[in-house]
Amino acid sequence: MIPILDSKRQYATIGNEIEKVVCEVLRSGSYILGPNCKALEVELAKYIGCNYTVALNSGTDALHLALRALDIGKGDEVITTAFTFVATTEAIGIVGATPVFADIDPDTFNIDPKKIEERITPKTKAIIPVHLYGQPCDMDAIMDIAKRYNLYVIEDCCQAIGAEYKGQKVGTFGDIGCYSFYPTKNLGGMGDGGLITVNSENLRNRIIALRNHGGAIRYHHDEIGVNSRLDEIQAAILRVKLNYIDDWNKQRRAHAKTYNELFANCPDIQTPKELPDTYCVYHQYTVKIPNRDNIHKMLQEAGIGAMLYYPIPLHLQKVHEHLGWSKGSLPNTEKDTECVISLPMFPELTLEEQKTVASTLINCIEKSKAAV
C-alpha cells in the first residue's frame, strides 16, 4: 500500500522534538493563548512576510472571522471558485453572505481572473481566491480587479503555506490571508488549527477580539464572537514543524518533477502546470486522466492511495442548490472535477514508490482503454 499521505514517517524523523515540547507544555500549566501561541504568531508573520498573524483553531474559522472582520454579511456577495473544499463557501454562508461562483483556469484549477469581472454586481463586497493544491492564483490580475471595483480580497491559503507569486508569499497580497494547520496540510498540526495573516493593526485587533468571545479585555464583550483559540500544544508542535517547512516543500517540488518525468511519454496523463513566476508547494499532485472513476477504483484495488479532490463542484452540491446554479454554468470547473485525481505526495515519499505509482497508473489507463 502506498498512501496518499503518511504522517507516521514524518513523526519518525521529528518525534523526539515533538514529544519534548509537548511535555514542556504539559508541565507548564499554560494551555491556552500562552507563550508558544504568541511566539508562533510572531514566527509565522516573519516567515510569511506580513505584519501580523492571529492563530485560530481551524482554517474554516480563519475564513469565517476574516469575513466578520471586514463586516461582510447578509445581502453581500462574495465571488469565489466552486473548485475547492466546502469550508470556503461554508464561511460565506455562516456570515449570511452569498457565494457567487466564477469558473476556473483549466490549466491551474484556480479561479480565472477573466471570469471574475462578469460576476461583479452592486452587492459584491469581496473576492476569495483559493490557491488550490498549493498553486498560487494570478494575484496581479485579481488585485487589479479588486482595486478597480473597491473590493476586499481574502486569500484562501489553506493548502498553500510557503507558496509564492513573483517572489512574494501568498497570503500577503489581499486584505487577509487564511491558513489551515489540519494534520494533512504541508504544515500540519496534530489536531485542528488555523491562522490569519494581516497587515492592518485594526483588523488584527478586531480578529483577536472575535476569536475570544468578542472582547479585547477579559469580561468586556463588544460584539458576538466565537471561541477559536489555538491551544498551546498545537502551537508548540507547529513551532517545531515550521523549522522544516521549506525543506519539506522543496521535497514535494522534487517529487512533482519526478512524477512529471515519469509521465512525460504518456499523452493520456495531463500533469500539473506551474505558471511562470510562481512557486507551487504541491499540497497535492493532481493530474487529469480519462475514465477517472474507473481508474480510481483500479488504483485503490492495486494499493495506490489516490484521492479525488474534489469530485462534485460546490455549485452543484445540495448545500448550495437554493442558489439556482445549474449543470453547465461552469464548464471548466465541471469538466475538470470529472477527470482530476491526486496521487501520493508527501516529503518522505521514495523514488521506488513514485515509480510504482506511475507504472500502476499507466497500466490502469491502458487496461481501461483496452476494455472499451
Side-chain angles (χ1 to χ4, degrees), residues 323-337:
L323 299 176
W325 291 84
S326 59
K327 192 171 179 61
S329 54
L330 300 173
N332 290 337
T333 298
E334 293 167 29
K335 181 179 179 182
D336 279 4
T337 53

Side-chain angles (χ1 to χ4, degrees), residues 76-82 98-104 111-127 145 149 151 315 325-326 328-334:
D76 297 332
E77 294 178 350
V78 179
I79 298 173
T80 191
T81 171
T98 301
V100 175
F101 300 108
D103 211 352
I104 61 168
I111 193 167
D112 186 345
K114 296 189 294 293
K115 303 294 184 181
I116 292 175
E117 202 159 359
E118 64 193 44
R119 302 298 191 196
I120 295 173
T121 74
K123 295 181 180 180
T124 306
K125 291 296 176 64
I127 305 167
I145 293 168
Y149 288 91
L151 303 175
H315 69 297
W325 291 84
S326 59
S329 54
L330 300 173
N332 290 337
T333 298
E334 293 167 29

Side-chain angles (χ1 to χ4, degrees), residues 270-347:
Q270 183 175 324
T271 55
K273 293 184 180 179
E274 190 169 349
L275 297 183
D277 298 320
T278 64
Y279 185 89
C280 179
V281 294
Y282 292 97
H283 173 61
Q284 300 295 341
Y285 181 87
T286 303
V287 299
K288 294 195 246 186
I289 59 173
N291 198 13
R292 192 272 314 278
D293 290 345
N294 185 44
I295 291 170
H296 180 222
K297 182 179 179 181
M298 294 167 69
L299 287 172
Q300 289 180 314
E301 291 171 349
I304 305 299
M307 294 287 287
L308 308 183
Y309 304 110
Y310 300 92
I312 304 173
L314 293 183
H315 69 297
L316 300 181
Q317 294 273 2
K318 183 177 180 180
V319 66
H320 292 314
E321 64 182 7
H322 66 285
L323 299 176
W325 291 84
S326 59
K327 192 171 179 61
S329 54
L330 300 173
N332 290 337
T333 298
E334 293 167 29
K335 181 179 179 182
D336 279 4
T337 53
E338 292 176 355
C339 64
V340 293
I341 190 165
S342 297
L343 304 179
M345 171 58 79
F346 50 95

